[in-house]
Amino acid sequence: MQRTVEKIKHSDLKFGKKILLNTLLSCSIVIISSCATSKTNQSGNIILKEQGAFSAGGTIIKSEGTFDPLKPWNEQQGGQTRHGDHADVFYQIPVNKKHNSMVFLHGYGQSRRSWQTTADGREGFSDIFLKSGYGVYLVDQPGRGDAGQTTKPVQISASPDDQTWYTQFRIGLYPKFNEGVQFPKGEKYLDSFFRMMTPNTGNADEETIVNALSAVFDKSGDGILFTHSAGGAPGWKTAIKNDRVKAIVAIEPGGFTFPEGEVPQGNRGGKGVPLNEFLKLTEIPIVVYYGDYIPAEETNAASLNFWRNVLATAKQWAKIVNAHGGNATIVHLPEMGIKGNTHFIMSDLNNRQIANLIAKWLKEKGLDN
Amino acid sequence: MQRTVEKIKHSDLKFGKKILLNTLLSCSIVIISSCATSKTNQSGNIILKEQGAFSAGGTIIKSEGTFDPLKPWNEQQGGQTRHGDHADVFYQIPVNKKHNSMVFLHGYGQSRRSWQTTADGREGFSDIFLKSGYGVYLVDQPGRGDAGQTTKPVQISASPDDQTWYTQFRIGLYPKFNEGVQFPKGEKYLDSFFRMMTPNTGNADEETIVNALSAVFDKSGDGILFTHSAGGAPGWKTAIKNDRVKAIVAIEPGGFTFPEGEVPQGNRGGKGVPLNEFLKLTEIPIVVYYGDYIPAEETNAASLNFWRNVLATAKQWAKIVNAHGGNATIVHLPEMGIKGNTHFIMSDLNNRQIANLIAKWLKEKGLDN
């Protein structure tokens, strides 16, 4: 494969103005929609009691030898540590916050940006739920984004792969858009979407991610865990590990935690766990959302078959959770008449409609207090 | 060098509570200090009109060939793009915002976390200035943190080097703390400090960083550029490139932009620029801060000699700027009786005192409106 390199200047003042306009427009919508869920925010403003950042979890490696502080750049000397493999967390606590916090974990190749904004600069789930009174904790998992410091070296590739993700994320079969897709059309929105990707700076294993995410809940207190895509698998394990996870809202998880002996072929959530651990998942309400364009039958498009298998596994998993006394719901949005959603349900054009569905579900489960 | 690997669980509930306590304590301080600078925030709360995230600047590479959307994971196929080398920006706009925004660029091995918080969880500069009415734009530069997507492959090392940075950043000659150092003592604070480090995910050149930072100002509008350490050098070039940079507050910059023919030996800011470009730096007020423990004479500690040379270059640079009609001030804090500052002046224990100095300077220059 030959590669040609083009530098394109990426600054578009009109786009900046459009974002501002969209934000102003969405503010007036907020006034209406937030009235239903919270009394703390009638103005459309965000009123924070505090915000901040911290690291959670992580490991430390040490080199043998003695450190000479007079020659700190001497490459031969050891006696040093490296702190890495933690999560990086940005949190915001509104005034009159609800008891339950929300903790947000991104998917593969993504960072907390997944939850903060959208390709066209509208509000993401974190702002929407912050405005309705939840404390929000936005995670970059170990070896991703601002949690970049790891304890294992890694080679980062820079192969062009935007079109692979466009297709895998069900925006369309590139260069086509799926018919009726809830993704803003225009080169500048795709540009913004592609730039949300960010690579692994170390290959953190699932245990490392679970430990870090569990440490976030030690700091956030009782909370609702939101996961996206590849964040789903460590999400289930975090709920098993830490009682402070009071519910899970999973957006298109790719893999599931089954009890040992009941793991179906092709599940991407790893091998099963002992039944007593699995049963922890039956003690909390769980809702799982999948979007549109997932075919009922096998097709000639590899990405669509992938999601067809995942959705089938999800339904199988929910049956097992519920057979063990649990409370898991799989929502396949087109089946309830909500069409056009990609893999990024939380930032699609109808993300406010989806947020309202989730708010309703949280209220039904008594979690919105 | 042999390496031993130790996994240490990093979750300390007491630490979480201490952060909360510190935040509550600092809230009451805020009420007093913010009265002097703003009428918008008498409660200690942060009141935001909006917040969000966007990418700025960046490049696009393309592979030759044709993309087959039916087989998106086929590694042989080309016809793809990769969007990278942009800055990632998180911004917050308070109600009744001042005309000038603030744009914050981190230093080497750091991310926007440098400005958001401190090793012991107190408020960073971004919250302090947000509360006094500035819109704040927190940048992860191309190939760092959430702006991780780049267009060139890179190898990330994971060599233990915490002690090198501890020493280089003038916390002390490891394991000693400098006498009277304004750094919170305790293993948990060092742990937090070390975990703020995050590696390059690509080696963005200065032009790429300057282009991205200039694109941030296209979106922020008129603003004050804050730089730290290695962020200093691209900071000067950004002010030359973009008229929206109305002032620079540089915290311990490592290199300077001189006019061609006047570059002193050992300057880390690269070769000079044509005089007409340099003169742009004479059109805006500039203040540069250096902390403590920078020796007057050469010592046996390599890190201290490094900073001694940098401070000497800074003073020489300010003379040249001012000789050309500029308005640059070098503040060596110990010379005005402020002792104990490390390289991280903006997050040291006395960061509120430093923020007050900066607020006073901005007022004097007519920039706080």
Side-chain angles (χ1 to χ4, degrees):
Chain A
M1 186 177 83
Q2 274 190 300
R3 183 194 287 171
T4 57
V5 178
E6 259 187 73
K7 289 214 175 195
I8 297 173
K9 222 184 125 193
H10 172 68
S11 63
D12 187 338
L13 259 173
K14 282 185 197 163
F15 182 32
K17 283 178 190 163
K18 184 96 172 225
I19 287 181
L20 188 60
L21 185 64
N22 282 338
T23 312
L24 290 173
L25 287 171
S26 69
C27 279
S28 54
I29 296 165
V30 168
I31 297 168
I32 299 158
S33 73
S34 65
C35 287
T37 48
S38 168
K39 287 177 186 169
T40 63
N41 177 36
Q42 305 281 330
S43 63
N45 295 329
I46 297 172
I47 308 175
L48 301 176
K49 186 168 163 51
E50 68 170 280
Q51 64 179 0
F54 60 85
S55 300
T59 59
I60 303 171
I61 58 172
K62 291 183 179 175
S63 57
E64 288 191 351
T66 310
F67 178 73
D68 179 359
L70 298 179
K71 295 171 184 165
W73 295 105
N74 182 344
E75 287 183 16
Q76 298 309 307
Q77 72 177 326
Q80 298 217 56
T81 60
R82 186 180 187 88
H83 290 63
D85 307 333
H86 45 267
D88 183 277
V89 186
F90 174 64
Y91 71 94
Q92 299 188 294
I93 310 295
V95 291
N96 302 326
K97 79 174 180 77
K98 295 176 191 276
H99 171 75
N100 285 308
S101 301
M102 288 183 170
V103 174
F104 294 89
L105 179 64
H106 55 75
Y108 181 85
Q110 297 288 316
S111 70
R112 64 179 132 244
R113 278 266 315 256
S114 294
W115 306 102
Q116 289 183 300
T117 188
T118 70
D120 54 347
R122 287 170 296 111
E123 287 184 319
F125 270 18
S126 66
D127 278 0
I128 291 172
F129 285 107
L130 176 64
K131 283 186 172 177
S132 58
Y134 291 95
V136 297
Y137 290 74
L138 290 151
V139 175
D140 278 357
Q141 76 177 28
R144 191 74 58 77
D146 290 335
Q149 196 84 334
T150 68
T151 58
K152 285 172 198 155
V154 75
Q155 172 73 41
I156 293 184
S157 147
S159 296
D161 58 358
D162 290 337
Q163 284 65 23
T164 294
W165 294 111
Y166 176 104
T167 305
Q168 177 69 13
F169 293 157
R170 303 198 320 280
I171 297 171
L173 295 175
Y174 190 88
K176 287 187 188 159
F177 282 98
N178 279 324
E179 203 184 319
V181 71
Q182 297 275 4
F183 189 90
K185 285 176 189 170
E187 197 56 46
K188 61 193 170 189
Y189 303 128
L190 267 184
D191 183 291
S192 173
F193 182 76
F194 290 143
R195 292 182 187 284
M196 292 189 188
M197 299 290 293
T198 192
N200 280 336
T201 60
N203 295 311
D205 57 22
E206 189 177 84
E207 190 189 350
T208 303
I209 298 170
V210 170
N211 285 343
L213 201 54
S214 177
V216 177
F217 274 91
D218 288 341
K219 295 197 180 178
S220 71
D222 292 349
I224 299 141
L225 174 57
F226 281 68
T227 65
H228 181 227
S229 194
W236 315 124
K237 299 274 171 66
T238 304
I240 289 170
K241 185 182 173 75
N242 195 322
D243 287 342
R244 291 190 177 279
V245 181
K246 297 301 182 193
I248 293 181
V249 178
I251 308 294
E252 298 218 345
F256 296 87
T257 297
F258 285 89
E260 280 169 355
E262 298 186 60
V263 187
Q265 226 180 353
N267 175 50
R268 302 170 67 87
K271 58 185 171 66
V273 297
L275 184 62
N276 66 322
E277 291 185 18
F278 175 81
L279 289 176
K280 294 258 189 182
L281 293 178
T282 67
E283 294 167 13
I284 57 170
I286 295 171
V287 65
V288 181
Y289 293 90
Y290 287 94
D292 207 345
Y293 315 112
I294 301 177
E297 305 297 330
E298 195 88 2
T299 73
N300 63 344
S303 59
L304 301 185
N305 294 338
F306 172 94
W307 291 113
R308 180 176 168 272
N309 289 336
V310 168
L311 178 56
T313 306
K315 288 180 174 174
Q316 202 171 346
W317 173 82
K319 268 187 199 161
I320 294 175
V321 171
N322 295 337
H324 284 286
N327 186 351
T329 308
I330 308 293
V331 181
H332 187 201
L333 291 168
E335 291 178 28
M336 60 184 289
I338 298 177
K339 303 284 179 71
N341 281 103
T342 73
H343 182 50
F344 281 68
I345 296 172
M346 69 283 199
S347 58
D348 280 338
L349 288 169
N350 62 345
N351 69 338
R352 204 166 281 276
Q353 181 184 16
I354 308 297
N356 285 340
L357 281 186
I358 295 170
K360 190 164 163 263
W361 181 84
L362 291 170
K363 191 171 186 179
E364 282 166 13
K365 303 299 178 193
L367 291 159
D368 71 337
N369 49 28
Chain B
M1 186 176 83
Q2 274 191 298
R3 183 194 285 172
T4 57
V5 178
E6 260 187 70
K7 290 215 174 191
I8 296 175
K9 223 185 123 194
H10 172 67
S11 64
D12 187 337
L13 259 173
K14 281 184 197 162
F15 183 31
K17 283 180 189 160
K18 184 97 172 222
I19 288 181
L20 187 62
L21 185 65
N22 281 338
T23 313
L24 291 173
L25 286 171
S26 69
C27 278
S28 54
I29 296 166
V30 167
I31 297 169
I32 299 159
S33 72
S34 66
C35 286
T37 46
S38 168
K39 286 177 186 168
T40 63
N41 176 37
Q42 305 280 331
S43 63
N45 295 329
I46 297 171
I47 307 175
L48 301 175
K49 186 169 163 52
E50 70 170 279
Q51 64 180 0
F54 60 85
S55 300
T59 58
I60 303 172
I61 58 172
K62 291 183 180 177
S63 58
E64 288 191 351
T66 310
F67 178 73
D68 179 0
L70 298 180
K71 295 171 185 166
W73 295 105
N74 182 344
E75 287 183 15
Q76 297 310 308
Q77 71 177 326
Q80 298 217 55
T81 60
R82 186 180 186 88
H83 289 64
D85 307 333
H86 45 268
D88 182 278
V89 186
F90 175 64
Y91 71 95
Q92 299 187 295
I93 310 295
V95 291
N96 303 326
K97 79 175 181 77
K98 294 176 192 278
H99 172 74
N100 284 310
S101 301
M102 288 184 170
V103 175
F104 294 88
L105 178 64
H106 55 75
Y108 181 85
Q110 297 287 316
S111 70
R112 63 179 133 242
R113 278 265 317 256
S114 295
W115 307 100
Q116 289 183 302
T117 188
T118 70
D120 54 346
R122 286 171 296 110
E123 286 185 321
F125 270 18
S126 64
D127 278 1
I128 292 172
F129 286 106
L130 177 64
K131 283 186 171 177
S132 57
Y134 293 95
V136 297
Y137 291 73
L138 290 151
V139 175
D140 279 357
Q141 77 178 26
R144 189 75 55 77
D146 290 334
Q149 195 85 332
T150 68
T151 58
K152 286 172 197 155
V154 75
Q155 171 72 43
I156 292 185
S157 147
S159 298
D161 58 0
D162 290 335
Q163 285 65 24
T164 294
W165 294 110
Y166 176 105
T167 304
Q168 177 70 11
F169 293 157
R170 303 198 320 281
I171 297 170
L173 295 174
Y174 190 88
K176 286 186 188 159
F177 281 98
N178 279 324
E179 203 184 318
V181 70
Q182 297 275 5
F183 189 91
K185 285 175 188 170
E187 197 55 47
K188 61 192 171 191
Y189 304 128
L190 266 183
D191 184 293
S192 173
F193 181 76
F194 290 142
R195 292 182 186 284
M196 292 189 189
M197 300 289 293
T198 193
N200 281 336
T201 60
N203 296 311
D205 58 22
E206 189 177 83
E207 190 189 350
T208 303
I209 299 171
V210 170
N211 285 344
L213 201 54
S214 176
V216 178
F217 274 91
D218 287 341
K219 294 196 180 180
S220 71
D222 292 350
I224 299 141
L225 173 58
F226 280 68
T227 66
H228 181 226
S229 194
W236 314 123
K237 299 274 171 64
T238 303
I240 289 170
K241 185 182 174 77
N242 196 322
D243 287 342
R244 291 190 178 279
V245 181
K246 297 301 181 192
I248 293 181
V249 178
I251 308 294
E252 298 219 345
F256 297 86
T257 297
F258 285 89
E260 279 169 355
E262 297 187 59
V263 187
Q265 226 180 353
N267 174 51
R268 302 170 66 88
K271 59 186 172 64
V273 297
L275 184 62
N276 67 321
E277 292 185 18
F278 174 81
L279 288 177
K280 294 258 189 182
L281 292 177
T282 68
E283 293 167 12
I284 57 170
I286 295 171
V287 65
V288 181
Y289 293 90
Y290 286 94
D292 207 345
Y293 315 112
I294 301 176
E297 305 296 331
E298 194 87 3
T299 74
N300 63 345
S303 58
L304 301 186
N305 294 338
F306 173 95
W307 290 113
R308 179 176 169 271
N309 290 335
V310 168
L311 179 56
T313 306
K315 289 180 173 174
Q316 203 172 344
W317 173 81
K319 269 188 197 159
I320 294 174
V321 172
N322 295 337
H324 284 286
N327 185 351
T329 308
I330 307 294
V331 181
H332 186 199
L333 292 169
E335 292 177 30
M336 60 183 289
I338 298 178
K339 303 283 178 73
N341 281 104
T342 72
H343 182 51
F344 280 68
I345 296 172
M346 69 284 200
S347 59
D348 281 337
L349 289 169
N350 62 345
N351 70 336
R352 206 165 279 277
Q353 180 184 17
I354 307 298
N356 285 340
L357 281 185
I358 294 169
K360 190 162 163 266
W361 181 84
L362 291 169
K363 191 170 186 180
E364 281 167 14
K365 302 300 178 193
L367 292 159
D368 71 336
N369 49 27

